[in-house]
């Protein structure tokens, strides 16, 4: 039976979800919902675009509503709100606010008999899963998460807010020396500066002062002050030509010991190299939407995270097929 | 509440499980059971050793019986047999016979109201899980599994059976060029010979002919004939000094594409570097024993695999703690 999907929000992530749903043979994309004028939005696959006001009328016509909004302002209200009508899934990634968001979504989903999953994607999401698995296997050990090489949208936005900056792209890059030490099982203590460098490509407004902009970037608290930061000034043409993609990735590494006297070292590493951050995030969300649809049909309600979902629910294959082909 | 564990079989894997259970703060190792004379077996941690004939009398005193026998002859009979009395877990790794083994264990566990998990460890086990997750996320892609660098016990045994060989150790090593091509997203077609080389360290009996032994190894069907194999003749002292460990590991890599026209490449890699294959396998089995104990207390019966277990069940932390610290 085909799983019917709706997408709320049509930015980079919405388009990433659209691609992943269309690539799934057991899913049908019913409509994209937008706060913009729907006539102004053209979907990549030609699927119908509806105004947000039409969403409630789709109750019963959509198995899972996939929320493609941002964590700062969209998801904290949207996920609990639409859990009243639909099974929902989001990629909420404000780590510190996950317990609060979970509680809000859980209350509404339970009250309305729906099932929800929050914080899917790759971090939170696949990286979280790998932290959990590796910690359970090696209780005596140390965790390391590295991000990149990849474009950080938040840091790129922070640069764009500086006076005199026309456009900017910021890459987060793991420090190779730190990565080598972790992979060698040396269990180093690493400061923020030891782990990542920040590489910035900046297009200036006409007449802007590069010295001022560079100083503003390098001293910006939280975003750049604690890192070794490099600033490159480039033309708008070069930015569009060489820095228009949204690659990302990283590694979750756990280094641990076993044995009678902790005499044996082990390294568990999970590594992602992604050409398109939003398309990969959309792909993860899509297989969790499959899981949520199935679990809802079994009568489950309330809020879940990736920690609560047995892996078999993610695959279109049956348990027998999985055991015969992937175990 | 403490989870009470029994171990059946006390070879390398049994000792690996013993270390992992002792390292788990929520577990208690009740006894090791052996087919040998129990007085001849000394456990690493001093835990009690019982004869196999005493096992049934422990019904009700053990939450999970962990089976540490071999897949060729022990587990096909032991796992279904002891599922009549206990919740059980094994590391059955004969991939082709998993469906049959699953059916046998499932029937007895259901009939006797117990819960079982088969084929845990790292392959099958963590590698299987990573194949499933990566296939669900990237349906348009290709899988690669590399093993090593590590000691293959089966291949070492095969060399030892050759006339004139006193002892031997065989290392399976991934071919770097193949690994590089896969990690670069080139999706190469790789033959058996392209993926792994086999490196053999052999101690000869006095008067044995090295030419004969080398020829016997390199032409052995299934084990060596399809690989580039190197044979080193060394002294018994050198074998004991430099080749007495049981390191292993490997990588599961999925290379896939997303996008409107499959224009974006992604690489998902899960990599293990293990100083001790049996201790790491024991560590994986131990956290799945925790999951089985919890799921049995919830009233579940029958047979499961790692695909059926929600990750949260593996951790001693509560769901709230997991969401707050690992998501």
């Amino acid at each position: 039976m085909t799983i019917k999907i709706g997408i709320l929000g049509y930015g980079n992530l919405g388009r990433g979800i659209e691609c992943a749903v269309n690539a799934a043979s057991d899913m049908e994309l019913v409509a994209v919902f937008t706060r913009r004028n729907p006539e102004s939005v053209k979907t990549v696959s030609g699927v119908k675009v509806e105004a947000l006001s039409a969403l409630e009328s789709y109750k019963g016509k959509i198995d899972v509503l996939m929320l493609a909004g941002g964590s700062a302002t969209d998801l904290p209200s949207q996920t609990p709100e639409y859990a009243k009508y639909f099974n929902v899934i989001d990629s909420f990634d404000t780590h510190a606010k996950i317990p609060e968001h979970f509680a809000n979504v859980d209350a509404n989903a339970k009250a309305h008999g729906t099932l929800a999953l929050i914080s899917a994607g790759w971090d939170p999401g696949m990286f979280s899963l790998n932290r959990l698995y590796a910690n359970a296997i090696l209780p005596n050990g140390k965790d390391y998460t590295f991000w990149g090489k990849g474009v950080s949208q938040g840091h790129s936005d922070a640069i764009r807010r500086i006076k005199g900056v026309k456009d900017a792209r910021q890459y987060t890059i793991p420090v190779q020396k730190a990565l080598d030490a972790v992979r060698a099982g040396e269990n180093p203590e690493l400061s923020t500066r030891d782990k990542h460098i920040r590489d910035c490509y900046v297009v200036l407004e006409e007449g802007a002062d590069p010295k001022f902009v560079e100083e503003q970037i390098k001293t910006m608290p939280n975003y750049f002050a604690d890192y070794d930061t490099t600033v490159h000034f480039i033309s708008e043409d070069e930015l569009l030509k060489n820095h228009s993609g949204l690659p990302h990735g990283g590694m979750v590494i756990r280094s641990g010991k076993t044995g009678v006297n902790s005499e044996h070292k082990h390294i568990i590493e999970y590594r992602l190299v992604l050409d398109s951050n939003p398309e990969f995030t959309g792909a993860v969300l899509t297989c969790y939407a499959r899981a949520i649809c199935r679990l809802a049909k079994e009568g489950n309600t309330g809020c879940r995270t990736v920690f609560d979902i047995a892996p078999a629910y993610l695959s279109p294959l049956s348990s027998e097929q999985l055991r015969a082909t992937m175990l």
Side-chain angles (χ1 to χ4, degrees), chain A residues 36-54:
Chain A
R36 290 176 274 170
N37 172 4
E39 313 222 326
S40 73
V41 176
K42 265 228 158 338
T43 56
V44 171
S45 63
V47 72
K48 183 166 54 174
V49 181
E50 291 271 25
L52 185 56
S53 57

Side-chain angles (χ1 to χ4, degrees), chain A residues 63-64 87-89 115-117 287-297 300 302 304 309 313:
Chain A
D63 293 312
V64 184
N87 302 313
V88 292
I89 179 166
L115 187 62
L117 188 136
C287 59
Y288 276 97
R290 176 182 293 122
I292 284 302
C293 177
R294 291 177 176 177
L295 284 160
K297 289 201 168 129
N300 294 283
R304 301 288 187 278
I309 309 298
Y313 284 96

